[in-house]
Amino acid sequence: MALKLTVEGIDAGYGAVRALDGVSIAVGEGETVALLGTNGNGKSTLMKCIMGIVRPSRGAITLQLDDQTLDLCRLPTEEIVRAGVAMVPEGRRLFPKLTVEENLFLGAFRPEARRELAQGLDFCYQAFPVLKERRRQPAGSMSGGQQQMVAIARALMSRPRLLLVDEPSVGLSPLLVTQTIAKIKELKDSQGLTVLMAEQNLHQAIRIADRGYIIVHGKIVFHGESRAAIEANELVRSYYLGV
Amino acid sequence: MTRAGAKFWVGAAAVMLLALAATAILKNEYWFYAGFVVLQFVVLATAWNILGGYAGYVNFGTSAFVGAGTYAAIVAIKALAAPLGVQILLAAGIAGLLGFATGLLTLRLRGIFFSIATVAVAIVLETFIVNWRFVGGSTGIQILRPVDTGLFGSYTKMLFLVMVGLSVAAAAIARTLEISWIGRGLRAVRDNEEAAESCGVPTLRLKLIACTISGALMGAAGAPMAVYQSYIEPASAFSLNYSILALAMPIVGGTAHWSGPVLGALLFGTLQQVVSATISSELNRLVIGVMLIVFVVGAPAGIVGLWRKWAAKRAGAGSP
């Protein structure tokens, strides 16, 4: 397998607050894995640990890339991005005062991506034509759906192989959520990406997920090997489906 | 080279030729004496803006870097009898190192905490100089100007031209940074540092680069003070005025573009010289205060911001 992300028994938190407790997950090449859980259960913290923004106090995160193995707990974020991991952060986290185009440029900060700047930009504008029209506009002045497009496009500008998407549904209308999720699937297929998506909206997430983990209070409580297994699970039924 | 780049360098050459012509034509030394001060602030404001304007890290310790530059020049004179060029290079090197060290220690702090830390650097450094006998301690030190006045007839004229050169160099460096990936990354830091980090922008490295370059330019601007004033003491070398004006001028001029601090310093600096020469140096402070308030309230993007707004409006009116 050419790409494999392995998170093994990590603990992480903020000061005295423990957000993750012995979390282990794995994501393999070409998969779309959903990380399911309601607010405040540690999904974003896990994403930040993978990106090197939050450091786990215990455990290991490794990324196997072709014949090299990277210890993500030791690499700074820029090196992790350089290795081919990109994140679409929760709440989008754009550069609101910079133009749409500058936002996209910043996604391509790593030297390899800079060299392919023109192609990257072309690809993003093809995937999201509205961004081309609005490329001179400050990103903060756009609608929520368009901002989500900028965030996804910005992540793609770094030419990632593994894309982390943190709560793409936050702040979007149901129709836009459906479109965003479909877009992620489309991009994944056309670019051969591997996707790890954190989501609280189970119904939307399992439309495109191959597998899923359910995280509750910082612990992985269930691993569903397939869509059907997730839907059939007791926890899911009581949490989300109310039966 | 781009068209804008060509324009910049033609402009820079024109400024230097104009300054050279002025030294040949004008007889009254006062113009160069006052011009030196105004241009020193062009360098300081431009240097401040590299970190404060582009990256949004407000440095309240400009005086630390200027003072370090001045005293580095004094050491160069006393210990090595070095010429002015060497003094400036040494001052830039020392102040650049100081910038790097300050950055390393403080750039993990954000917002107001960084600013407070920079004030501390200025105080620590001044205390250090006050207690260093070799450079005169708290009583200060007398520096004799070389008798040789060089090519330009008078030493003051020569110092003025040196400051013109430093100003052009500072603007060129700021402009180069601004249009490079470094500038782009610094703007991202200013707008949303957390997002910049998670995009893979090497934020700490960029901030350190900005801090080092900014510090080095401030030091270079401080170096000629040793021979300009010929008497240096810590209280004036580390004057709070530097810190306040280096921050006020870019705000007045506009922080988003390299020309902002240049315009702000030229306007502010000239006004100061006029007011203190014609009315009083006390009123000077009032002028600074009033102008700052007017600009912060009325034109938060400075002169450059006003001009851009006006240009946008004109372009908007021109198209149907």
Side-chain angles (χ1 to χ4, degrees), chain A:
Chain A
M1 199 166 283
L3 180 151
K4 190 173 171 63
L5 172 76
T6 317
V7 176
E8 280 178 287
I10 61 165
D11 288 0
Y14 308 92
V17 183
R18 157 113 36 123
L20 295 178
D21 185 358
V23 167
S24 299
I25 66 166
V27 182
E29 172 112 58
E31 280 188 306
T32 300
V33 175
L35 187 63
L36 302 162
T38 47
N39 263 341
N41 279 310
K43 299 190 299 297
S44 290
T45 307
L46 177 54
M47 294 294 210
K48 284 181 184 162
C49 285
I50 297 169
M51 290 306 295
I53 299 166
V54 173
R55 297 294 183 189
S57 53
R58 202 169 61 87
I61 306 175
T62 49
L63 180 68
Q64 230 169 303
L65 265 180
D66 305 320
D67 46 5
Q68 55 174 337
T69 305
L70 303 169
D71 178 0
L72 300 194
C73 291
R74 289 188 193 285
L75 289 180
T77 304
E78 63 252 35
E79 293 299 323
I80 295 173
V81 173
R82 211 167 165 175
V85 186
M87 178 166 72
V88 182
E90 183 186 1
R92 305 181 273 275
R93 299 264 188 278
L94 298 181
F95 305 108
K97 290 187 196 124
L98 305 186
T99 63
V100 168
E101 196 155 74
E102 283 272 285
N103 267 270
L104 299 185
F105 282 153
L106 283 158
F109 210 90
R110 66 176 181 128
E112 294 83 351
R114 265 187 232 178
R115 263 178 255 128
E116 298 170 11
L117 196 65
Q119 294 102 296
L121 216 53
D122 274 350
F123 172 74
C124 286
Y125 287 154
Q126 246 166 40
F128 304 102
V130 67
L131 299 188
K132 186 170 188 178
E133 277 166 46
R134 312 226 158 173
R135 63 185 187 279
R136 305 245 175 268
Q137 199 173 315
S141 70
M142 310 228 293
S143 74
Q146 289 165 349
Q147 290 194 17
Q148 187 61 268
M149 292 180 198
V150 178
I152 295 172
R154 183 181 62 187
L156 293 174
M157 286 294 286
S158 73
R159 298 283 163 128
R161 292 176 64 183
L162 172 61
L163 184 68
L164 310 181
V165 188
D166 196 0
E167 300 254 17
S169 73
V170 163
L172 297 184
S173 70
L175 179 66
L176 278 173
V177 175
T178 308
Q179 286 174 359
T180 304
I181 299 278
K183 197 77 199 182
I184 292 169
K185 165 89 173 138
E186 178 197 320
L187 291 168
K188 180 212 168 243
D189 291 341
S190 71
Q191 297 298 294
L193 296 171
T194 302
V195 176
L196 174 63
M197 179 169 68
E199 211 11 284
Q200 49 178 309
N201 189 332
L202 168 92
H203 304 286
Q204 292 285 359
I206 58 173
R207 281 176 37 223
I208 64 165
D210 303 313
R211 294 190 291 124
Y213 295 92
I214 295 175
I215 183 167
V216 178
H217 299 319
K219 284 186 180 145
I220 301 286
V221 293
F222 176 70
H223 173 202
E225 295 281 2
S226 68
R227 235 168 282 179
I230 299 170
E231 279 175 317
N233 179 258
E234 268 310 305
L235 247 152
V236 174
R237 290 163 70 91
S238 59
Y239 247 147
Y240 290 101
L241 307 176
V243 289

Side-chain angles (χ1 to χ4, degrees), chain B residues 77-292:
Chain B
I77 294 167
K78 273 202 74 175
L80 313 165
L84 185 61
V86 176
Q87 292 169 33
I88 292 173
L89 284 178
L90 187 77
I94 298 270
L97 266 178
L98 182 67
F100 183 78
T102 308
L104 216 53
L105 290 172
T106 61
L107 278 175
R108 287 169 212 278
L109 304 173
R110 288 185 190 173
I112 190 75
F113 303 105
F114 170 78
S115 303
I116 292 169
T118 56
V119 175
V121 172
I123 294 170
V124 168
L125 212 61
E126 186 178 345
T127 311
F128 172 71
I129 295 293
V130 161
N131 290 290
W132 192 13
R133 291 285 285 281
F134 180 71
V135 293
S138 62
T139 48
I141 188 166
Q142 197 92 35
I143 298 289
L144 288 179
R145 282 185 180 183
V147 190
D148 176 23
T149 53
L151 292 167
F152 306 105
S154 87
Y155 208 78
T156 308
K157 282 182 181 176
M158 192 270 280
L159 283 179
F160 170 79
L161 286 175
V162 165
M163 222 23 129
V164 172
L166 283 176
S167 302
V168 170
I173 289 169
R175 182 179 173 275
T176 307
L177 280 177
E178 192 179 307
I179 58 180
S180 73
W181 278 88
I182 296 176
R184 183 169 280 155
L186 292 174
R187 282 194 289 280
V189 166
R190 184 187 55 194
D191 213 11
N192 190 341
E193 184 158 355
E194 207 180 309
E197 231 162 273
S198 62
C199 278
V201 176
T203 53
L204 186 64
R205 193 168 2 131
L206 294 180
K207 289 189 289 181
L208 277 176
I209 292 172
C211 214
T212 307
I213 294 176
S214 174
L217 284 174
M218 288 172 178
M225 283 309 276
V227 278
Y228 174 81
Q229 286 198 318
S230 65
Y231 170 71
I232 297 290
E233 39 107 19
S236 66
F238 290 92
S239 164
L240 191 63
N241 253 351
Y242 288 126
S243 304
I244 294 170
L245 287 170
L247 172 160
M249 288 164 171
I251 290 173
V252 167
T255 55
H257 194 259
W258 64 267
S259 64
V262 173
L263 284 173
L266 288 176
L267 179 76
F268 224 134
T270 310
L271 191 70
Q272 270 201 308
Q273 290 298 318
V274 171
V275 171
S276 56
T278 55
I279 309 173
S280 78
S281 59
E282 285 309 308
L283 199 73
N284 210 353
R285 289 163 198 252
L286 186 69
V287 171
I288 300 174
V290 171
M291 251 178 97
L292 252 188

